[in-house]
Amino acid sequence: MNDLRFFSGTGNPELAQKIADHLGIPVGEMLVRRFLDGEFYVQVNQSVRGDDVFLLQSAAAPVNEHLMELLIMIDSCKRASARRVNVVMPYYFYARQDRKVRPREPVSAKLVANLLTVAGASRILTVDVHSGQIMGFFDIPADHLYAGPIIADYLLKNIPLDDAVVVSPDVGGVARARALAEFLGTPLAIIAKRRPAPNKTEVIEVIGEVKGRSAIIIDDLIDTGGSVIGGANALLERGAKEVYAACTHPVFSGDAARKLVESPIKKIITTDTIPIPPEKRDSKIVIVSVAGLLAEAIKRIHNEGSVSELFSQHWNSQS
Ligand code: R5P
């Protein structure tokens, strides 16, 4: 593909290879090394002068390392006279710190937007960002993709949906859950939860009819697993027949994967925006790929085509 160059940081090499395969081009050669004190050294091993460069990096752990690596990659490409530096960030760094809730808190998601822009990013492409307002933190073009249709496709093919109900694990996720429910033609229920402390959740109430139904909890991410496991228990206590959980970003911090596998959740459907290390994988955790979606969006951006046309109205109206 004429002057399209695709490079990857070290955050998600498996996804990078899949995207490159879809694009039909190799992952570009970029040397990423460390100095003894931990500082990164990046060198683009081929000319990108005048090229439309796409850099893939996802906020996988260790998050701060991957963020710094990305910023230096952007700088290298910019200084090598790339025409555009498009950052492909399937899972956005610091997305949950998107507003000030208490005094003297940072808005780290905005800081990330500033850092990317100052480093030289021309455009951002991300998937299911925690809150839509983050896209407005950028004064450069920012494209937003939805993994909903890919997750829905798995559900349609593998889960009996006749008596299903889609459940939002919190009030903030209602638009996402409603899009999935409307697409699948199921009713919607909402869990009202509160966070007594960061990474802790408590279910207060379930709004909607779940008794005798297969409940599908849909979230943007699963981190500790507290929200979906707490939600699943609350749904089962209220008579749900079985519970599935789906999310776009499998953060799976600490022993979350084990907790999910041991929980009453029947299956966890997630994507490869973040790599799941082999020791955290299990037959109960299904991974569907966003590689084809990202590759298609990259092609469209490169060819100045529409990205929103990739999605039907269900998904485009969820923010
Ligand atoms: C919260 O607003 C998010 O959408 C997720 O529900 C939350 O971050 C998941 O975290 P955990 O798995 O630790 O409950």
PDB file of all heavy atoms in Angstrom, residues 131-157:
ATOM      1  N   SER A 131     -14.642   6.858  28.358  1.00  0.00           N
ATOM      2  CA  SER A 131     -15.741   7.835  28.246  1.00  0.00           C
ATOM      3  C   SER A 131     -15.505   8.686  27.008  1.00  0.00           C
ATOM      4  O   SER A 131     -14.366   9.053  26.702  1.00  0.00           O
ATOM      5  CB  SER A 131     -15.813   8.719  29.493  1.00  0.00           C
ATOM      6  OG  SER A 131     -14.618   9.430  29.625  1.00  0.00           O
ATOM      7  N   GLY A 132     -16.613   8.983  26.324  1.00  0.00           N
ATOM      8  CA  GLY A 132     -16.558   9.702  25.050  1.00  0.00           C
ATOM      9  C   GLY A 132     -15.861  11.047  25.153  1.00  0.00           C
ATOM     10  O   GLY A 132     -15.238  11.510  24.192  1.00  0.00           O
ATOM     11  N   GLN A 133     -15.917  11.656  26.338  1.00  0.00           N
ATOM     12  CA  GLN A 133     -15.346  13.001  26.467  1.00  0.00           C
ATOM     13  C   GLN A 133     -13.838  13.005  26.193  1.00  0.00           C
ATOM     14  O   GLN A 133     -13.274  14.034  25.808  1.00  0.00           O
ATOM     15  CB  GLN A 133     -15.625  13.579  27.861  1.00  0.00           C
ATOM     16  CG  GLN A 133     -14.753  13.040  28.961  1.00  0.00           C
ATOM     17  CD  GLN A 133     -15.474  12.999  30.307  1.00  0.00           C
ATOM     18  OE1 GLN A 133     -16.642  12.657  30.386  1.00  0.00           O
ATOM     19  NE2 GLN A 133     -14.772  13.339  31.359  1.00  0.00           N
ATOM     20  N   ILE A 134     -13.185  11.858  26.355  1.00  0.00           N
ATOM     21  CA  ILE A 134     -11.736  11.790  26.121  1.00  0.00           C
ATOM     22  C   ILE A 134     -11.412  12.175  24.677  1.00  0.00           C
ATOM     23  O   ILE A 134     -10.394  12.815  24.406  1.00  0.00           O
ATOM     24  CB  ILE A 134     -11.177  10.380  26.459  1.00  0.00           C
ATOM     25  CG1 ILE A 134     -11.295  10.164  27.972  1.00  0.00           C
ATOM     26  CG2 ILE A 134      -9.732  10.212  26.001  1.00  0.00           C
ATOM     27  CD1 ILE A 134     -10.904   8.776  28.445  1.00  0.00           C
ATOM     28  N   MET A 135     -12.293  11.817  23.751  1.00  0.00           N
ATOM     29  CA  MET A 135     -12.034  12.164  22.346  1.00  0.00           C
ATOM     30  C   MET A 135     -11.970  13.689  22.180  1.00  0.00           C
ATOM     31  O   MET A 135     -11.269  14.195  21.318  1.00  0.00           O
ATOM     32  CB  MET A 135     -13.118  11.572  21.425  1.00  0.00           C
ATOM     33  CG  MET A 135     -13.275  10.056  21.556  1.00  0.00           C
ATOM     34  SD  MET A 135     -11.734   9.160  21.577  1.00  0.00           S
ATOM     35  CE  MET A 135     -11.351   9.093  19.868  1.00  0.00           C
ATOM     36  N   GLY A 136     -12.707  14.390  23.032  1.00  0.00           N
ATOM     37  CA  GLY A 136     -12.689  15.859  22.986  1.00  0.00           C
ATOM     38  C   GLY A 136     -11.462  16.462  23.649  1.00  0.00           C
ATOM     39  O   GLY A 136     -11.267  17.674  23.606  1.00  0.00           O
ATOM     40  N   PHE A 137     -10.629  15.650  24.276  1.00  0.00           N
ATOM     41  CA  PHE A 137      -9.384  16.165  24.876  1.00  0.00           C
ATOM     42  C   PHE A 137      -8.347  16.475  23.795  1.00  0.00           C
ATOM     43  O   PHE A 137      -7.300  17.035  24.076  1.00  0.00           O
ATOM     44  CB  PHE A 137      -8.772  15.135  25.844  1.00  0.00           C
ATOM     45  CG  PHE A 137      -9.559  14.915  27.120  1.00  0.00           C
ATOM     46  CD1 PHE A 137      -9.182  13.919  28.013  1.00  0.00           C
ATOM     47  CD2 PHE A 137     -10.634  15.714  27.446  1.00  0.00           C
ATOM     48  CE1 PHE A 137      -9.883  13.713  29.188  1.00  0.00           C
ATOM     49  CE2 PHE A 137     -11.350  15.513  28.623  1.00  0.00           C
ATOM     50  CZ  PHE A 137     -10.975  14.506  29.497  1.00  0.00           C
ATOM     51  N   PHE A 138      -8.624  16.019  22.564  1.00  0.00           N
ATOM     52  CA  PHE A 138      -7.652  16.193  21.470  1.00  0.00           C
ATOM     53  C   PHE A 138      -8.055  17.349  20.562  1.00  0.00           C
ATOM     54  O   PHE A 138      -9.240  17.493  20.252  1.00  0.00           O
ATOM     55  CB  PHE A 138      -7.588  14.916  20.614  1.00  0.00           C
ATOM     56  CG  PHE A 138      -6.917  13.768  21.317  1.00  0.00           C
ATOM     57  CD1 PHE A 138      -7.664  12.855  22.032  1.00  0.00           C
ATOM     58  CD2 PHE A 138      -5.542  13.617  21.263  1.00  0.00           C
ATOM     59  CE1 PHE A 138      -7.050  11.791  22.686  1.00  0.00           C
ATOM     60  CE2 PHE A 138      -4.919  12.555  21.911  1.00  0.00           C
ATOM     61  CZ  PHE A 138      -5.674  11.642  22.628  1.00  0.00           C
ATOM     62  N   ASP A 139      -7.045  18.111  20.111  1.00  0.00           N
ATOM     63  CA  ASP A 139      -7.298  19.112  19.072  1.00  0.00           C
ATOM     64  C   ASP A 139      -6.805  18.592  17.728  1.00  0.00           C
ATOM     65  O   ASP A 139      -6.737  19.341  16.754  1.00  0.00           O
ATOM     66  CB  ASP A 139      -6.606  20.437  19.428  1.00  0.00           C
ATOM     67  CG  ASP A 139      -7.355  21.137  20.555  1.00  0.00           C
ATOM     68  OD1 ASP A 139      -8.590  20.972  20.627  1.00  0.00           O
ATOM     69  OD2 ASP A 139      -6.713  21.816  21.378  1.00  0.00           O
ATOM     70  N   ILE A 140      -6.410  17.320  17.698  1.00  0.00           N
ATOM     71  CA  ILE A 140      -6.079  16.664  16.426  1.00  0.00           C
ATOM     72  C   ILE A 140      -7.211  15.659  16.160  1.00  0.00           C
ATOM     73  O   ILE A 140      -7.951  15.323  17.093  1.00  0.00           O
ATOM     74  CB  ILE A 140      -4.710  15.937  16.507  1.00  0.00           C
ATOM     75  CG1 ILE A 140      -4.664  14.977  17.701  1.00  0.00           C
ATOM     76  CG2 ILE A 140      -3.557  16.923  16.554  1.00  0.00           C
ATOM     77  CD1 ILE A 140      -3.428  14.112  17.779  1.00  0.00           C
ATOM     78  N   PRO A 141      -7.356  15.156  14.933  1.00  0.00           N
ATOM     79  CA  PRO A 141      -8.447  14.191  14.683  1.00  0.00           C
ATOM     80  C   PRO A 141      -8.299  12.951  15.564  1.00  0.00           C
ATOM     81  O   PRO A 141      -7.196  12.446  15.765  1.00  0.00           O
ATOM     82  CB  PRO A 141      -8.275  13.834  13.204  1.00  0.00           C
ATOM     83  CG  PRO A 141      -7.492  14.946  12.619  1.00  0.00           C
ATOM     84  CD  PRO A 141      -6.604  15.465  13.710  1.00  0.00           C
ATOM     85  N   ALA A 142      -9.418  12.502  16.104  1.00  0.00           N
ATOM     86  CA  ALA A 142      -9.413  11.308  16.959  1.00  0.00           C
ATOM     87  C   ALA A 142     -10.561  10.409  16.504  1.00  0.00           C
ATOM     88  O   ALA A 142     -11.719  10.828  16.517  1.00  0.00           O
ATOM     89  CB  ALA A 142      -9.580  11.715  18.413  1.00  0.00           C
ATOM     90  N   ASP A 143     -10.231   9.210  16.069  1.00  0.00           N
ATOM     91  CA  ASP A 143     -11.256   8.268  15.596  1.00  0.00           C
ATOM     92  C   ASP A 143     -11.492   7.201  16.646  1.00  0.00           C
ATOM     93  O   ASP A 143     -10.547   6.712  17.266  1.00  0.00           O
ATOM     94  CB  ASP A 143     -10.812   7.603  14.285  1.00  0.00           C
ATOM     95  CG  ASP A 143     -10.888   8.558  13.111  1.00  0.00           C
ATOM     96  OD1 ASP A 143     -11.963   9.159  12.923  1.00  0.00           O
ATOM     97  OD2 ASP A 143      -9.875   8.717  12.414  1.00  0.00           O
ATOM     98  N   HIS A 144     -12.761   6.848  16.799  1.00  0.00           N
ATOM     99  CA  HIS A 144     -13.165   5.934  17.868  1.00  0.00           C
ATOM    100  C   HIS A 144     -13.878   4.732  17.260  1.00  0.00           C
ATOM    101  O   HIS A 144     -14.853   4.898  16.529  1.00  0.00           O
ATOM    102  CB  HIS A 144     -14.121   6.694  18.798  1.00  0.00           C
ATOM    103  CG  HIS A 144     -14.479   5.939  20.021  1.00  0.00           C
ATOM    104  ND1 HIS A 144     -15.654   6.105  20.687  1.00  0.00           N
ATOM    105  CD2 HIS A 144     -13.812   4.993  20.697  1.00  0.00           C
ATOM    106  CE1 HIS A 144     -15.690   5.292  21.723  1.00  0.00           C
ATOM    107  NE2 HIS A 144     -14.573   4.602  21.742  1.00  0.00           N
ATOM    108  N   LEU A 145     -13.374   3.526  17.565  1.00  0.00           N
ATOM    109  CA  LEU A 145     -13.995   2.308  17.037  1.00  0.00           C
ATOM    110  C   LEU A 145     -14.726   1.568  18.158  1.00  0.00           C
ATOM    111  O   LEU A 145     -14.381   1.737  19.332  1.00  0.00           O
ATOM    112  CB  LEU A 145     -12.931   1.383  16.442  1.00  0.00           C
ATOM    113  CG  LEU A 145     -11.990   1.989  15.402  1.00  0.00           C
ATOM    114  CD1 LEU A 145     -10.974   0.954  14.952  1.00  0.00           C
ATOM    115  CD2 LEU A 145     -12.773   2.522  14.213  1.00  0.00           C
ATOM    116  N   TYR A 146     -15.656   0.709  17.774  1.00  0.00           N
ATOM    117  CA  TYR A 146     -16.423  -0.069  18.751  1.00  0.00           C
ATOM    118  C   TYR A 146     -16.178  -1.559  18.524  1.00  0.00           C
ATOM    119  O   TYR A 146     -16.288  -2.048  17.392  1.00  0.00           O
ATOM    120  CB  TYR A 146     -17.921   0.212  18.605  1.00  0.00           C
ATOM    121  CG  TYR A 146     -18.246   1.683  18.708  1.00  0.00           C
ATOM    122  CD1 TYR A 146     -18.536   2.426  17.571  1.00  0.00           C
ATOM    123  CD2 TYR A 146     -18.218   2.325  19.936  1.00  0.00           C
ATOM    124  CE1 TYR A 146     -18.797   3.785  17.659  1.00  0.00           C
ATOM    125  CE2 TYR A 146     -18.482   3.680  20.036  1.00  0.00           C
ATOM    126  CZ  TYR A 146     -18.769   4.402  18.891  1.00  0.00           C
ATOM    127  OH  TYR A 146     -19.026   5.747  18.980  1.00  0.00           O
ATOM    128  N   ALA A 147     -15.872  -2.262  19.606  1.00  0.00           N
ATOM    129  CA  ALA A 147     -15.717  -3.722  19.497  1.00  0.00           C
ATOM    130  C   ALA A 147     -17.078  -4.414  19.614  1.00  0.00           C
ATOM    131  O   ALA A 147     -17.170  -5.627  19.417  1.00  0.00           O
ATOM    132  CB  ALA A 147     -14.773  -4.230  20.583  1.00  0.00           C
ATOM    133  N   GLY A 148     -18.115  -3.647  19.919  1.00  0.00           N
ATOM    134  CA  GLY A 148     -19.464  -4.215  20.113  1.00  0.00           C
ATOM    135  C   GLY A 148     -19.887  -5.183  19.010  1.00  0.00           C
ATOM    136  O   GLY A 148     -20.331  -6.301  19.302  1.00  0.00           O
ATOM    137  N   PRO A 149     -19.758  -4.797  17.720  1.00  0.00           N
ATOM    138  CA  PRO A 149     -20.217  -5.708  16.668  1.00  0.00           C
ATOM    139  C   PRO A 149     -19.456  -7.037  16.660  1.00  0.00           C
ATOM    140  O   PRO A 149     -20.044  -8.080  16.335  1.00  0.00           O
ATOM    141  CB  PRO A 149     -19.934  -4.932  15.372  1.00  0.00           C
ATOM    142  CG  PRO A 149     -19.876  -3.501  15.781  1.00  0.00           C
ATOM    143  CD  PRO A 149     -19.385  -3.475  17.184  1.00  0.00           C
ATOM    144  N   ILE A 150     -18.177  -7.019  17.031  1.00  0.00           N
ATOM    145  CA  ILE A 150     -17.370  -8.258  17.025  1.00  0.00           C
ATOM    146  C   ILE A 150     -17.817  -9.149  18.191  1.00  0.00           C
ATOM    147  O   ILE A 150     -17.973 -10.364  18.050  1.00  0.00           O
ATOM    148  CB  ILE A 150     -15.859  -7.911  17.150  1.00  0.00           C
ATOM    149  CG1 ILE A 150     -15.435  -7.032  15.975  1.00  0.00           C
ATOM    150  CG2 ILE A 150     -15.012  -9.166  17.231  1.00  0.00           C
ATOM    151  CD1 ILE A 150     -14.078  -6.389  16.142  1.00  0.00           C
ATOM    152  N   ILE A 151     -18.065  -8.528  19.340  1.00  0.00           N
ATOM    153  CA  ILE A 151     -18.545  -9.280  20.509  1.00  0.00           C
ATOM    154  C   ILE A 151     -19.957  -9.808  20.215  1.00  0.00           C
ATOM    155  O   ILE A 151     -20.282 -10.968  20.492  1.00  0.00           O
ATOM    156  CB  ILE A 151     -18.508  -8.384  21.773  1.00  0.00           C
ATOM    157  CG1 ILE A 151     -17.045  -8.106  22.160  1.00  0.00           C
ATOM    158  CG2 ILE A 151     -19.282  -9.021  22.932  1.00  0.00           C
ATOM    159  CD1 ILE A 151     -16.837  -7.089  23.251  1.00  0.00           C
ATOM    160  N   ALA A 152     -20.779  -8.960  19.612  1.00  0.00           N
ATOM    161  CA  ALA A 152     -22.163  -9.366  19.288  1.00  0.00           C
ATOM    162  C   ALA A 152     -22.160 -10.554  18.336  1.00  0.00           C
ATOM    163  O   ALA A 152     -22.974 -11.480  18.480  1.00  0.00           O
ATOM    164  CB  ALA A 152     -22.918  -8.191  18.668  1.00  0.00           C
ATOM    165  N   ASP A 153     -21.248 -10.546  17.388  1.00  0.00           N
ATOM    166  CA  ASP A 153     -21.163 -11.642  16.421  1.00  0.00           C
ATOM    167  C   ASP A 153     -20.868 -12.960  17.149  1.00  0.00           C
ATOM    168  O   ASP A 153     -21.496 -13.982  16.869  1.00  0.00           O
ATOM    169  CB  ASP A 153     -20.061 -11.309  15.402  1.00  0.00           C
ATOM    170  CG  ASP A 153     -19.992 -12.340  14.303  1.00  0.00           C
ATOM    171  OD1 ASP A 153     -21.015 -12.526  13.644  1.00  0.00           O
ATOM    172  OD2 ASP A 153     -18.927 -12.981  14.128  1.00  0.00           O
ATOM    173  N   TYR A 154     -19.944 -12.916  18.120  1.00  0.00           N
ATOM    174  CA  TYR A 154     -19.646 -14.134  18.896  1.00  0.00           C
ATOM    175  C   TYR A 154     -20.902 -14.575  19.669  1.00  0.00           C
ATOM    176  O   TYR A 154     -21.254 -15.757  19.675  1.00  0.00           O
ATOM    177  CB  TYR A 154     -18.482 -13.900  19.872  1.00  0.00           C
ATOM    178  CG  TYR A 154     -18.249 -15.127  20.733  1.00  0.00           C
ATOM    179  CD1 TYR A 154     -17.423 -16.161  20.302  1.00  0.00           C
ATOM    180  CD2 TYR A 154     -18.931 -15.279  21.951  1.00  0.00           C
ATOM    181  CE1 TYR A 154     -17.271 -17.320  21.054  1.00  0.00           C
ATOM    182  CE2 TYR A 154     -18.781 -16.440  22.712  1.00  0.00           C
ATOM    183  CZ  TYR A 154     -17.949 -17.451  22.258  1.00  0.00           C
ATOM    184  OH  TYR A 154     -17.809 -18.594  22.998  1.00  0.00           O
ATOM    185  N   LEU A 155     -21.572 -13.618  20.305  1.00  0.00           N
ATOM    186  CA  LEU A 155     -22.746 -13.964  21.118  1.00  0.00           C
ATOM    187  C   LEU A 155     -23.838 -14.576  20.240  1.00  0.00           C
ATOM    188  O   LEU A 155     -24.441 -15.591  20.596  1.00  0.00           O
ATOM    189  CB  LEU A 155     -23.285 -12.719  21.831  1.00  0.00           C
ATOM    190  CG  LEU A 155     -22.347 -12.088  22.884  1.00  0.00           C
ATOM    191  CD1 LEU A 155     -22.875 -10.729  23.333  1.00  0.00           C
ATOM    192  CD2 LEU A 155     -22.193 -13.016  24.095  1.00  0.00           C
ATOM    193  N   LEU A 156     -24.062 -13.966  19.081  1.00  0.00           N
ATOM    194  CA  LEU A 156     -25.116 -14.469  18.180  1.00  0.00           C
ATOM    195  C   LEU A 156     -24.843 -15.906  17.760  1.00  0.00           C
ATOM    196  O   LEU A 156     -25.767 -16.711  17.637  1.00  0.00           O
ATOM    197  CB  LEU A 156     -25.185 -13.589  16.920  1.00  0.00           C
ATOM    198  CG  LEU A 156     -25.930 -12.270  17.069  1.00  0.00           C
ATOM    199  CD1 LEU A 156     -25.653 -11.362  15.871  1.00  0.00           C
ATOM    200  CD2 LEU A 156     -27.437 -12.512  17.191  1.00  0.00           C
ATOM    201  N   LYS A 157     -23.557 -16.217  17.560  1.00  0.00           N
ATOM    202  CA  LYS A 157     -23.219 -17.557  17.062  1.00  0.00           C
ATOM    203  C   LYS A 157     -23.082 -18.598  18.168  1.00  0.00           C
ATOM    204  O   LYS A 157     -23.131 -19.783  17.904  1.00  0.00           O
ATOM    205  CB  LYS A 157     -21.903 -17.496  16.283  1.00  0.00           C
ATOM    206  CG  LYS A 157     -22.054 -16.772  14.956  1.00  0.00           C
ATOM    207  CD  LYS A 157     -20.726 -16.707  14.231  1.00  0.00           C
ATOM    208  CE  LYS A 157     -20.886 -15.934  12.940  1.00  0.00           C
ATOM    209  NZ  LYS A 157     -19.666 -15.277  12.548  1.00  0.00           N
TER     210      LYS A 157
END
